[in-house]
């Protein structure tokens, strides 16, 4: 609705784009994070990895400033590290790379053409030379032109060469998920497409502390990593973040809320929705819900989820992406295999619908706290 009727169009990689959507400004960035469920309260309990930064000074940061700080440290500690993507030189649409070009120069932080396939191809080649590539796809919705490069080149580079070569220095950052008004081209969650690919790692942090620590871990991991950032949380998630260098291990989930009756599992901003539903279940049903934030999708922390479901006997899995063949199906199948004799009720999936992401019907599309509450209620009733 903010775009003029005569907004210019151009073609890039066979896809029509509104040119005005590529213009970054502080005002546009703020509008992009006025979310439907802008409720990202930071957990009161300590992070399980608190010991990794014990004694460090802390500073209040939101998600995007924490990511900015992680990239600053990455460039300071690795002379080969470069950041590139559409509009990153002046801070990017969401301001995640603000001031980095001024600090490190145009040879290390630079813009690319509007060509996701080219960004991925260049990043793979740069990383294959033993260097560190931090590439940005401006929106996860536009990552598909780079799909072949990521799944057929980056993910297989080490395997096809018998470990003679690799592009493990590659990290691809991309904003994803619902934001309240993004419509079908700025709201998608495509993690399941890539989770089917051996050779990749996929990370989706939720808090500023985790975003910084997991981005540094991703940049230094010896495998290519797809680092997905829930854009609704860029400004909504705020907490005290260590100012120094630290890493949070990839592949380890976090039990955000302990409980004994039902397990809820998800990732990204959906964890904040789960926490609200868990509070509702406690207040209205007297049901104690354990909430698990996967944080990493590939690999995902099966033992933590398995232990929780064996304790509670009931499980609800959830994500914003469409339900059919979403990552929740993989979680459900694995839980069924490992926890069958402990289950008191069928596992529930609460996900997006099998439709393109709608604009005016986003409130109906997203799996909100009421849908999760109903799933918890059904799980308890079916086991009684």
């Amino acid at each position: 609705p903010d775009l003029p009727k005569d907004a210019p169009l151009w073609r890039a990689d066979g896809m029509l784009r509104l040119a005005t959507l590529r213009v970054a400004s502080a005002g546009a960035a703020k509008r992009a994070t006025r979310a439907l469920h802008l409720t990202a309260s930071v957990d009161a309990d300590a992070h399980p990895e608190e010991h990794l930064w014990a004694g460090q000074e802390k500073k209040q940061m939101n998600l995007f400033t924490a990511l900015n700080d992680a990239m600053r440290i990455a460039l300071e500690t690795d002379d080969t590290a470069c950041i590139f993507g559409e509009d990153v030189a002046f801070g990017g649409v969401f301001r995640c790379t603000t001031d980095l070009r001024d600090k490190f120069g145009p040879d290390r932080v630079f813009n690319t053409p509007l060509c996701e396939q080219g960004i991925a191809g260049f990043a793979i080649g740069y990383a294959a030379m033993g260097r560190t590539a931090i590439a940005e796809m401006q929106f996860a919705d536009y990552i598909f032109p780079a799909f072949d490069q990521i799944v057929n080149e980056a993910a297989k580079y080490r395997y096809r060469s018998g470990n003679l070569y690799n592009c493990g220095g590659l990290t691809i950052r991309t904003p994803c998920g619902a934001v309240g008004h993004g419509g079908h081209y700025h709201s998608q969650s495509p993690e399941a497409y890539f989770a089917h690919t051996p050779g990749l790692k996929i990370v989706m942090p939720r808090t500023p502390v985790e975003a910084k620590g997991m981005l540094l871990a991703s940049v230094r991991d010896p495998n290519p990593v797809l680092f997905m950032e829930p854009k609704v949380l860029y400004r909504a998630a705020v907490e005290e973040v260590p100012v120094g260098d630290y890493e949070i291990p990839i592949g380890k989930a976090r039990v955000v809320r302990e409980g004994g009756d039902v397990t809820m599992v998800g990732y990204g901003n959906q964890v904040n929705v789960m926490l609200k539903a868990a509070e509702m279940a406690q207040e209205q049903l007297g049901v104690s819900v354990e909430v698990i934030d996967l944080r990493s999708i590939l690999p995902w922390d099966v033992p933590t989820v398995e232990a929780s479901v064996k304790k509670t006997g009931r499980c609800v899995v959830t994500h914003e992406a469409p339900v059919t063949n979403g990552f929740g199906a993989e979680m459900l199948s694995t839980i069924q295999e490992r926890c069958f004799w402990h289950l008191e009720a069928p596992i529930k999936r609460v996900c997006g619908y099998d439709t393109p992401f709608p604009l005016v019907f986003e409130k109906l599309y997203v799996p909100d706290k009421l849908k999760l509450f109903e799933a918890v209620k059904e799980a308890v009733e079916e086991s009684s």
Side-chain angles (χ1 to χ4, degrees), residues 149-363:
Q149 289 287 333
I150 296 170
V151 303
N152 269 340
E153 303 300 336
K156 298 175 174 63
Y157 211 105
R158 187 190 306 272
Y159 180 83
R160 65 189 285 208
S161 71
N163 201 32
L164 291 176
Y165 310 103
N166 70 82
C167 58
L170 169 63
T171 301
I172 298 176
R173 297 178 42 250
T174 187
C176 64
V179 72
H181 60 268
H184 52 291
Y185 285 144
H186 295 83
S187 304
Q188 297 175 81
S189 299
E191 65 276 358
Y193 292 98
F194 297 96
H196 193 63
T197 307
L200 291 180
K201 291 189 176 182
I202 305 173
V203 175
M204 192 183 296
R206 179 182 59 96
T207 73
V209 167
E210 291 166 343
K212 178 178 176 179
M214 298 190 82
L215 181 55
L216 284 169
S218 299
V219 169
R220 295 162 179 170
D221 194 276
N223 301 281
V225 180
L226 181 59
F227 193 89
M228 308 187 75
E229 303 163 6
K231 54 184 173 288
V232 69
L233 299 180
Y234 275 140
R235 286 166 176 76
V238 181
E239 66 179 332
E240 295 292 314
V241 178
V243 298
D245 191 342
Y246 66 93
E247 299 177 28
I248 292 179
I250 297 173
K252 180 64 179 174
R254 177 183 179 187
V255 178
V256 182
R257 186 183 194 273
E258 293 187 354
D261 297 322
V262 180
T263 298
M264 275 202 289
V265 189
Y267 46 83
N269 187 51
Q270 198 60 20
V271 177
N272 296 312
V273 184
M274 290 194 297
L275 288 170
K276 286 189 169 185
E279 289 296 327
M280 286 183 63
Q282 186 70 58
E283 294 172 2
Q284 299 185 29
L285 305 175
V287 172
S288 173
V289 178
E290 184 151 290
V291 175
I292 298 177
D293 181 357
L294 283 188
R295 304 193 297 187
S296 298
I297 297 169
L298 191 66
W300 66 287
D301 190 350
V302 176
T304 294
V305 176
E306 178 183 355
S308 177
V309 175
K310 285 182 176 179
K311 176 178 69 174
T312 64
R314 305 170 188 88
C315 184
V316 177
V317 300
T318 181
H319 51 65
E320 289 181 8
V323 61
T324 299
N325 292 323
F327 193 70
E330 171 64 25
M331 290 192 284
L332 189 152
S333 176
T334 302
I335 294 166
Q336 180 78 2
E337 291 173 359
R338 292 173 174 255
C339 306
F340 179 79
W341 299 110
H342 298 265
L343 291 173
E344 301 289 341
I347 304 168
K348 306 294 181 182
R349 274 190 296 175
V350 184
C351 308
Y353 298 120
D354 290 326
T355 69
F357 201 103
L359 178 60
V360 295
F361 296 118
E362 181 170 329
K363 288 184 179 180

Side-chain angles (χ1 to χ4, degrees), residues 120-147:
F122 176 79
I124 292 167
Y126 188 74
M129 295 296 100
R131 298 171 179 268
T132 301
I134 306 172
E136 179 183 302
M137 302 290 176
Q138 198 170 81
F139 288 91
D141 312 67
Y142 293 124
I143 201 170
F144 298 111
F147 191 82

Side-chain angles (χ1 to χ4, degrees), residues 42-116:
V42 172
D43 315 317
D45 61 318
H47 287 270
E49 295 89 6
E50 191 83 28
H51 63 282
L52 296 176
W53 54 82
Q56 282 196 29
E57 178 188 351
K58 293 185 178 181
K59 178 181 177 181
Q60 189 177 82
M61 301 182 193
N62 59 26
L63 196 79
F64 91 81
T65 54
L67 292 168
N68 180 279
D69 200 43
M71 286 184 276
R72 174 190 61 81
I73 291 174
L75 267 65
E76 285 180 347
T77 57
D78 182 351
D79 291 338
T80 73
C82 287
I83 298 171
F84 47 90
E86 298 162 11
D87 304 326
V88 302
F90 59 82
V93 170
F94 297 105
R95 319 312 295 164
C96 293
T97 53
T98 298
D99 295 333
L100 293 179
R101 181 186 178 97
D102 294 338
K103 292 178 181 176
F104 298 99
D107 291 336
R108 301 187 67 193
V109 182
F110 51 89
N111 291 334
T112 66
L114 303 188
C115 179
E116 284 77 10

